[in-house]
Amino acid sequence: MAQLREEYIKKDAKTFLRDGPQMASAFVQGPSSFEDENAIAYSGALFDHQIPLDWSDRWTKIPARTYAVFPHFGPLLTLPLTWNKAARVALKPLGLKLDDSIMFETYLTANPNEAPSKLSALIYLPVSKAEQEQQTS
């Protein structure tokens, strides 16, 4: 199983892209299940500014906001397992809730079969602090 460590950051596009554009996939709404055939994904690259291209009218802007960032180690084939663990298991114990905003992943390797000990992707989940449940006496 993929290792999972939590890191909380608030970054804008220039910080994400300090080493240049990154390959990424984004999801307007997360998949409802492991094999959700209706999930819509956008794939491409992240840029810190819009550049003129023939298809520039179809850019998707990712807002600067607070994201919980989860590292994925190993083969990209197991990336959905890390997504599931991050979104469904890790946030609540940390006092965070998933917000209704675009979520995305960036790829840190060109090797889809990366060794299990190698960091291969980062998952960015839009989050905010969860409301504390009021206890009645």
Side-chain angles (χ1 to χ4, degrees):
M1 186 175 290
Q3 293 176 347
L4 181 65
R5 288 181 283 161
E6 303 84 18
E7 178 183 346
Y8 305 99
I9 58 172
K10 185 173 184 176
K11 294 185 175 184
D12 60 24
K14 289 189 186 302
T15 308
F16 284 131
L17 306 170
R18 66 179 170 265
D19 297 325
Q22 291 185 352
M23 295 304 298
S25 292
F27 307 90
V28 175
Q29 181 177 347
S32 62
S33 68
F34 185 69
E35 296 182 10
D36 184 353
E37 294 180 8
N38 296 315
I40 298 172
Y42 299 99
S43 295
L46 294 176
F47 293 88
D48 63 353
H49 63 285
Q50 191 164 335
I51 58 176
L53 297 169
D54 291 341
W55 46 268
S56 293
D57 61 325
R58 295 187 309 243
W59 285 63
T60 299
K61 294 186 179 182
I62 298 176
R65 56 163 299 128
T66 301
Y67 292 92
V69 181
F70 296 90
H72 172 74
F73 294 83
L76 295 177
L77 181 64
T78 61
L79 191 56
L81 298 173
T82 305
W83 268 95
N84 185 59
K85 197 170 189 180
R88 300 186 190 275
V89 177
L91 295 178
K92 187 174 181 177
L94 297 166
L96 298 172
K97 67 178 180 108
L98 188 62
D99 287 344
D100 187 18
S101 186
I102 197 162
M103 52 192 78
F104 61 100
E105 60 195 33
T106 58
Y107 308 108
L108 307 175
T109 181
N111 179 6
N113 298 311
E114 196 62 76
S117 62
K118 299 282 187 165
L119 180 63
S120 57
L122 294 173
I123 296 170
Y124 296 83
L125 299 179
V127 295
S128 59
K129 290 185 179 183
E131 298 287 327
Q132 295 294 329
E133 292 184 23
Q134 300 267 336
Q135 292 185 358
T136 57
S137 314

